[in-house]
Amino acid sequence: MSAFLLSRRRFLTAAGATVSSLPLAGCDALDGLIVNDSPVRRLLASANSLTYRAQRLLVPADRLAPEFAESEIRQAQRPNGSTDPGDATYLALKQDDFAGYRLHVSGLVERPLHLTLEELRNMPSRTQITRHDCVEGWSCIAKWSGVALSRVLDEARVKPEALYVVFHCFDSMPLGLAGSVAYYESIDMVDARHPQTILAYGLNDEVLPVANGAPLRVRVERQLGYKMAKYIRAIEITADLAPFGRGGGGYWEDLGYDWYAGI
Amino acid sequence: MTTAHDSESTASEAQPSPVISRHRLTTRLTHWGWAGALFFLFLSGLQIFNAHPVLYVGQQSGFAYDNSVLSISPVRERGGEVRGLTTVLGLSFDTTGVLGVSGPEKERAYRAFPAWLTVPSYQDLATGRVVHFFFAWILATVYAVWLVGSAINGHLRRDILPGLADIRALPAAFVAHLRFRFEHDGRYNSLQKLSYAIVLLVFFPLMIMTGLTMSPSMDAGWPWLVQLFGGRQTARTIHFVVMLLLLGFFAVHIAMVFAAGPINEMRSMITGRYSIRRSVDRGGRT
């Protein structure tokens, strides 16, 4: 009996000590180690290249993201990030219902393009009901219509050395203390050529609203929302992401988010 | 009964405590491997949760309708005071100080989980994700090593998978544990086998699979994943619930280590050597 009492007393003391030390596990001790550009951060972030390679290996290039029935569209597509760009060029175009809009396609192409919305709408279109997954954790199902990016790339005749497609956007995002920078994003040629990767001009059977990226946004259905640039001004084909922004391959990437957002 | 101490000391004087080799190297290495990985996965997971502290059931998150099952948020009351409100299946609890609203009175932080439960301590989804996915790879790798290793060396069949005899012994083992009576013959008892089997063969795979289901790319590659769990948001909810279950296991696990003799137990998981002295005494008494 006393053995039992002893072990219970010891247990309760030890348990109390454990519980009271839990807040010490609080993690500001680690904060300094994992800030951007520290060696530990670079090591941890290298797992993203592993994820990228593993998923490219496991998921065939043309494998489609799940598509849904009309009945599963139960709400308006939730807008996030910029929802109403105030940039002068954008406002001028918006005032005219984007009649003066041109999508510039340049970089590693044989034939640079300057496409009007009319020209884009006259190309073969694709409509898909897909799930939008935000990096924050939420999902929203909506119907997207647009032209396959691969179709535009074919028209521009992409050079063989091309590795990435960069999207330059009209909307500015905060950067640093008071500065701002234009949103940009990039994807590899596998996702750029994927059948569901479209330059969308329609949402839920309507013209793409400003809050969701009018006049043109990209859908990259096997990655998270931040890859799907809104308010696209120009597309640039490149073999190197270093010259853009801080070299991370996108606005959020430059702030520490993973470039590959398939997870 | 009253002379348990005496008999213990005489027993140890009379004969040296038998020390057995209890845990193999793979068991010990993988144990500490996933203990470390789970520590960081837990804290970075709560950081990720904080970016959108609502859990739903189904494919998507209801904004125009309600399919939420849990939410943690700061709510401003009429008096102007902000309180932390945690809502589980429609039931709301005031969790000010820990969930929803936390930190020192003077500079309250409006966040689901408090700073001392997240990595990093401040709100930083990008870093939370970087940490989470690094340790997710560690956990998956260590788990694969353990699974293959344990299948080959017999650990899985001998020590983990409960047999018919273990199922029969469960009620008695349950009662014995409630009375703080533990067997110390170096082998897992039926309750241990069952709990390790559930953690290692149900919770771990469930955690990895629901984690993968949240990946839009894996949903394209392995569409059966999202079908199995009934939607990405359901998978996210299950991921969270299994986290809580693992936390519960951890609490009991640590309690049992202390109750069964922390030094002997820790030694066995570090060096593999385990003293079975006490069981000899017990055997004598009963």
Side-chain angles (χ1 to χ4, degrees):
Chain A
M1 211 58 199
S2 62
F4 162 65
L5 283 173
L6 183 73
S7 64
R8 185 175 63 170
R9 193 187 314 129
R10 204 193 314 144
F11 158 63
L12 289 174
T13 315
T18 311
V19 169
S20 61
S21 72
L22 266 182
L24 297 177
C27 305
D28 30 353
L30 295 165
D31 290 354
L33 268 179
I34 50 183
V35 289
N36 286 353
D37 289 330
S38 74
V40 175
R41 172 59 173 249
R42 274 199 291 274
L43 171 73
L44 296 176
S46 64
N48 186 246
S49 330
L50 190 59
T51 305
Y52 175 50
R53 265 173 268 169
Q55 292 200 340
R56 282 284 178 266
L57 207 69
L58 281 174
V59 185
D62 277 356
R63 186 64 66 81
L64 299 183
E67 295 194 10
F68 299 84
E70 294 265 354
S71 60
E72 302 205 59
I73 306 171
R74 299 185 59 186
Q75 54 193 350
Q77 171 66 25
R78 179 183 171 91
N80 205 20
S82 307
T83 50
D84 196 10
D87 306 77
T89 335
Y90 183 78
L91 290 176
L93 286 167
K94 187 171 88 169
Q95 203 158 39
D96 206 13
D97 230 3
F98 301 105
Y101 174 80
R102 296 286 183 283
L103 171 69
H104 305 286
V105 183
S106 63
L108 296 174
V109 293
E110 307 275 357
R111 202 171 64 150
L113 302 173
H114 308 279
L115 300 164
T116 66
L117 274 182
E118 198 55 32
E119 286 170 314
L120 287 163
R121 288 197 187 106
N122 284 336
M123 290 179 171
S125 76
R126 180 183 161 88
T127 295
Q128 59 206 29
I129 300 172
T130 50
R131 194 191 64 212
H132 180 96
D133 298 329
C134 179
V135 68
E136 293 165 3
W138 53 267
S139 309
C140 195
I141 292 173
K143 183 199 269 189
W144 302 93
S145 306
V147 51
L149 175 60
S150 64
R151 167 81 197 206
V152 174
L153 296 181
D154 287 344
E155 200 111 324
R157 287 194 219 119
V158 174
K159 291 180 181 171
E161 62 266 36
L163 292 176
Y164 308 100
V165 174
V166 179
F167 304 95
H168 299 285
C169 305
F170 285 111
D171 59 318
S172 297
M173 296 289 280
L175 193 74
L177 284 178
S180 71
V181 67
Y183 197 90
Y184 79 104
E185 255 305 337
S186 60
I187 54 175
D188 68 1
M189 298 312 287
V190 172
D191 268 331
R193 296 240 173 239
H194 187 263
Q196 283 171 323
T197 300
I198 58 173
L199 297 170
Y201 44 69
L203 169 60
N204 291 336
D205 297 318
E206 312 255 336
V207 173
L208 184 67
V210 167
N212 299 100
L216 205 64
R217 77 167 305 165
V218 67
R219 298 294 310 165
V220 187
E221 303 291 0
R222 301 186 302 179
Q223 294 208 46
L224 298 175
Y226 67 89
K227 299 303 287 186
M228 307 193 216
K230 294 152 76 169
Y231 316 107
I232 295 173
R233 181 174 59 77
I235 289 175
E236 192 171 341
I237 321 300
T238 180
D240 182 15
L241 294 174
F244 308 98
R246 292 178 180 174
Y251 168 75
W252 289 112
E253 288 86 333
D254 286 342
L255 293 174
Y257 282 82
D258 289 324
W259 176 75
Y260 178 67
I263 189 157
Chain B
M1 288 285 267
T2 47
T3 55
H5 270 300
D6 301 336
S7 69
E8 216 169 303
S9 52
T10 41
S12 51
E13 272 164 31
Q15 55 187 104
S17 322
V19 172
I20 57 160
S21 175
R22 189 191 199 189
H23 297 301
R24 284 165 192 269
L25 187 64
T26 42
T27 308
R28 283 178 274 142
L29 285 178
T30 53
H31 172 270
W32 293 113
W34 57 52
L38 284 171
F39 175 78
F40 288 104
L41 282 165
F42 171 63
L43 298 166
S44 56
L46 297 186
Q47 168 72 244
I48 296 171
F49 174 87
N50 273 2
H52 188 75
V54 189
L55 297 176
Y56 311 87
V57 166
Q59 285 288 355
Q60 57 178 328
S61 314
F63 298 111
Y65 64 103
D66 189 10
N67 63 339
S68 69
V69 288
L70 180 143
S71 71
I72 302 174
S73 55
V75 176
R76 189 172 290 279
E77 291 191 328
R78 236 170 290 170
E81 199 188 351
V82 182
R83 308 208 55 83
L85 202 68
T86 301
T87 306
V88 186
L89 299 170
L91 295 171
S92 292
F93 305 92
D94 187 335
T95 50
T96 309
V98 185
L99 304 179
V101 176
S102 52
E105 294 282 349
K106 288 245 169 88
E107 32 174 348
R108 285 302 215 187
Y110 303 134
R111 45 187 289 162
F113 286 100
W116 56 271
L117 270 178
T118 63
V119 159
S121 64
Y122 49 88
Q123 299 261 48
D124 182 357
L125 174 60
T127 305
R129 282 170 53 84
V130 164
V131 172
H132 203 72
F133 298 138
F134 178 85
F135 286 102
W137 273 107
I138 302 273
L139 181 77
T141 308
V142 172
Y143 181 63
V145 167
W146 177 84
L147 202 60
V148 173
S150 304
I152 292 172
N153 70 23
H155 178 51
L156 192 62
R157 187 176 33 78
R158 186 182 59 241
D159 307 319
I160 303 294
L161 288 174
L164 211 59
D166 295 305
I167 306 288
R168 279 203 207 98
L170 261 183
F174 189 71
V175 171
H177 275 77
L178 283 183
R179 299 172 64 197
F180 279 72
R181 286 180 172 280
F182 308 109
E183 297 159 30
H184 290 277
D185 62 355
R187 295 178 54 82
Y188 292 157
N189 62 55
S190 58
L191 216 52
Q192 279 177 299
K193 279 189 176 182
L194 190 71
S195 48
Y196 295 147
I198 289 174
V199 166
L200 294 165
L201 302 176
V202 180
F203 290 175
F204 276 24
L206 208 52
M207 215 55 186
I208 293 169
M209 283 164 73
T210 49
L212 287 176
T213 307
M214 283 184 263
S215 150
S217 177
M218 290 314 296
D219 285 353
W222 297 349
W224 54 266
L225 267 177
V226 71
Q227 283 158 12
L228 179 70
F229 294 113
R232 179 177 191 257
Q233 290 302 320
T234 310
R236 185 166 172 262
T237 299
I238 297 172
H239 200 72
F240 189 89
V241 170
V242 178
M243 175 275 290
L244 292 178
L245 294 172
L246 282 171
L247 199 63
F249 166 80
F250 175 72
V252 175
H253 183 59
I254 296 302
M256 288 298 113
V257 167
F258 278 109
I263 295 177
N264 195 25
E265 294 291 327
M266 281 297 270
R267 179 178 69 169
S268 77
M269 202 37 102
I270 294 169
T271 68
R273 290 157 58 77
Y274 183 77
S275 161
I276 54 172
R277 187 193 60 196
R278 280 151 149 256
S279 72
V280 174
D281 297 337
R282 281 269 156 79
R285 284 207 308 276
T286 49

